[in-house]
Amino acid sequence: MPGARGEVPLPTRSFAYQDYTKPTTELDDRVGYYARLEYRPIGPLTFDVTHYDNAGDRISDAHGQTDWETRFTNIGLRAALGPDTHLLAQAMTGQTIWGERTPMGYWTDVDFASAYVLIAHDFGGQSIAGRLDYFEVTDRSFVVDDNNDEQGWAATAAYQLMLSPQARLAFEGLHVSSDRPTRADLGIATEQDETTLQSSLKLSF
């Protein structure tokens, strides 16, 4: 992660307006905000709602950095299903915009949404977890040769074993399925499925 004034490199693209982004650079001198509300009723439940809006002007530009207007709303749930079993769920929807408004719309206008549900259980120095994710990007801009539409889902299963207070062994399997129309421009199938298996051993001293 970058520091307060750090840079994040961007992927190689056919056009190169900028090679990196500075997430904390102030461009438009406008104040954004976020608000969070959390509710804890009697029992093992917690609900929270967060709304974020950076109030960007969409047009400011300095030293290769451009200003975007981004807003989203996030809803979360945490529940203890038992002493050793927990459920987490989250859903988010938002929009990001860049450029002057034209009669045809914005140069970049993208809606995004995601959600997940996770359940985890601990037992005898071990833990298992399963997670399902959904994600969707809808491109509403009028630039037809830069379609960012994408939709997909993912499933994750994980197992951890505490070998000792200083050693933890973990195994994880991840499957991602997605459909992105612009893959056809590269001569590959728009629908892709990927599966990753990995393990790790963490030692603490």
Side-chain angles (χ1 to χ4, degrees), residues 2-203:
R5 302 179 64 85
E7 300 176 358
V8 178
L10 295 175
T12 301
R13 306 172 308 287
S14 58
F15 61 94
Y17 183 69
Q18 54 188 7
D19 297 324
Y20 60 89
T21 181
K22 294 183 176 181
T24 59
T25 299
E26 180 59 52
L27 296 175
D28 59 12
D29 295 321
R30 300 174 68 174
V31 177
Y33 73 93
Y34 78 92
R36 176 183 170 90
L37 177 65
E38 187 170 288
Y39 175 56
R40 296 183 180 182
I42 297 175
L45 287 175
T46 300
F47 300 94
D48 63 81
V49 178
T50 302
H51 181 74
Y52 170 93
D53 189 337
N54 72 345
D57 68 5
R58 306 183 304 275
I59 58 175
S60 293
D61 184 308
H63 307 294
Q65 303 299 300
T66 56
D67 192 60
W68 292 64
E69 180 183 8
T70 302
R71 64 177 72 91
F72 63 82
T73 299
N74 180 84
I75 300 174
L77 164 69
R78 288 168 289 177
L81 305 181
D84 302 308
T85 305
H86 296 84
L87 173 71
L88 301 176
Q90 189 175 40
M92 180 180 67
T93 181
Q95 181 184 31
T96 187
I97 307 171
W98 173 79
E100 292 273 13
R101 184 173 181 85
T102 74
M104 295 179 292
Y106 292 104
W107 279 93
T108 304
D109 184 355
V110 176
D111 291 347
F112 54 88
S114 65
Y116 82 85
V117 58
L118 179 150
I119 187 168
H121 179 68
D122 299 327
F123 59 100
Q126 306 171 71
S127 66
I128 56 174
R131 171 169 168 156
L132 289 176
D133 288 79
Y134 172 81
F135 55 90
E136 179 179 350
V137 175
T138 303
D139 194 334
R140 301 187 183 280
S141 63
F142 64 84
V143 183
V144 296
D145 60 350
D146 186 28
N147 183 3
N148 292 288
D149 285 350
E150 186 171 11
Q151 186 179 38
W153 61 273
T156 306
Y159 168 78
Q160 293 189 40
L161 171 64
M162 295 299 298
L163 300 175
S164 72
Q166 292 78 34
R168 183 182 67 185
L169 179 65
F171 299 92
E172 182 181 88
L174 169 65
H175 179 80
V176 180
S177 178
S178 64
D179 184 2
R180 186 176 179 89
T182 53
R183 290 183 179 131
D185 298 337
L186 302 176
I188 60 177
T190 61
E191 297 186 21
Q192 296 285 326
D193 290 277
E194 298 176 292
T195 300
T196 301
L197 301 175
Q198 59 183 6
S199 63
S200 64
L201 177 63
K202 183 176 180 180
L203 303 175

